[in-house]
Amino acid sequence: AQTVTQSQPEMSVQEAETVTLSCTYDTSESDYYLFWYKQPPSRQMILVIRQEAYKQQNATENRFSVNFQKAAKSFSLKISDSQLGDAAMYFCAYRRPQGTYKYIFGTGTRLKVLA
Amino acid sequence: KAGVTQTPRYLIKTRGQQVTLSCSPISGHRSVSWYQQTPGQGLQFLFEYFSETQRNKGNFPGRFSGRQFSNSRSEMNVSTLELGDSALYLCASFKGGGNTEAFFGQGTRLTVV
């Protein structure tokens, strides 16, 4: 069975600084998708970034980038130039590529952005 | 384009009652999944529907059930409510295809007293 682990329950970052959120996962499959979702106080989960396991290049979306280390089964999220609006719960998630849209989520990291 | 709509947003029920939650996916999306979110257990997968068929089910008791209609709208039902069923219930909608992402609703906050 696949598992996703986020070892940082809470992180803080100064506005305009950079922060990295950690995620590790365990799977015996070679192909899969990894995601970072953001859940602000409004409760709605919003996709931050997505990575296909077969792609070696790390995904980037504006100020958000990942460090995907397939052999180490690590998928960290880097937020550059942090903004107050980045404050939220961040969830790392795993999904198999076929046959299901079931996500396996980590326990989340609460990110606080300090002005 | 309207997002995923979940109704109601908030619900208070008494132990032993039953409840039905509704999810309307994004137009054109054929798959819907449900998750239970609690502070202690995090996000737990409940079920997944694709074209009216349940494709996957999580490790929840039989009191939790769901269905999907021909218009892709989905409902989940919880019978004989327990205090531990208090949670945020999230619905996610999927367009289809391999690398599709989940679009989530704002959830239904269920409180069992």
Side-chain angles (χ1 to χ4, degrees), chain B residues 4-81:
Chain B
V4 180
T5 303
Q6 290 189 245
T7 56
R9 293 286 307 279
Y10 300 89
L11 207 49
I12 300 176
K13 288 287 189 179
T14 304
R15 271 184 303 174
Q17 286 187 313
Q18 75 164 13
V19 67
T20 299
L21 311 182
S22 178
C23 171
S24 293
I26 292 171
S27 178
H29 287 200
R30 296 167 60 193
S31 181
V32 170
S33 296
W34 289 89
Y35 292 83
Q36 180 195 65
Q37 185 176 16
T38 59
Q41 299 296 319
L43 285 146
Q44 301 287 313
F45 171 77
L46 281 156
F47 359 78
E48 173 188 15
Y49 289 90
F50 184 83
S51 294
E52 301 179 66
T53 301
Q54 187 179 87
R55 190 157 67 169
N56 266 298
K57 189 177 191 303
N59 189 24
F60 279 82
R63 300 184 296 107
F64 290 81
S65 63
R67 59 179 176 170
Q68 186 181 31
F69 302 95
S70 59
N71 62 357
S72 294
R73 190 177 71 86
S74 178
E75 288 182 347
M76 67 163 281
N77 184 276
V78 188
S79 62
T80 319
L81 283 165

Side-chain angles (χ1 to χ4, degrees), chain A residues 68-86:
Chain A
F68 174 49
Q69 301 290 326
K70 190 172 183 180
K73 296 180 182 174
S74 170
F75 182 60
S76 60
L77 174 69
K78 185 171 85 171
I79 306 174
S80 304
D81 186 26
S82 296
Q83 300 175 359
L84 295 177
D86 295 333

Side-chain angles (χ1 to χ4, degrees), chain A residues 43-99:
Chain A
R43 308 180 331 202
Q44 186 158 19
M45 300 275 277
I46 301 164
L47 177 69
V48 175
I49 201 164
R50 166 179 50 208
Q51 175 81 43
E52 291 90 341
Y54 64 86
K55 290 186 177 178
Q56 293 186 343
Q57 186 171 6
N58 289 324
T60 299
E61 287 288 341
N62 301 313
R63 298 182 295 107
F64 299 88
S65 62
V66 298
N67 183 3
F68 174 49
Q69 301 290 326
K70 190 172 183 180
K73 296 180 182 174
S74 170
F75 182 60
S76 60
L77 174 69
K78 185 171 85 171
I79 306 174
S80 304
D81 186 26
S82 296
Q83 300 175 359
L84 295 177
D86 295 333
M89 281 291 289
Y90 285 81
F91 291 94
C92 178
Y94 170 101
R95 183 170 76 75
R96 297 177 66 190
Q98 296 175 16

Side-chain angles (χ1 to χ4, degrees), chain A residues 33 35 37 39 42-45 47 50 52 91 95 97 99-103 105, chain B residues 9-10 31 35 37 48 55-56 88 94 96-102 104 106-107:
Chain A
Y33 297 107
F35 304 83
Y37 276 87
Q39 187 179 40
S42 67
R43 308 180 331 202
Q44 186 158 19
M45 300 275 277
L47 177 69
R50 166 179 50 208
E52 291 90 341
F91 291 94
R95 183 170 76 75
T100 180
Y101 293 135
K102 173 185 173 182
Y103 279 58
F105 286 94
Chain B
R9 293 286 307 279
Y10 300 89
S31 181
Y35 292 83
Q37 185 176 16
E48 173 188 15
R55 190 157 67 169
N56 266 298
L88 179 66
F94 301 82
N99 67 347
T100 191
E101 68 188 78
F104 286 85
Q106 289 188 284

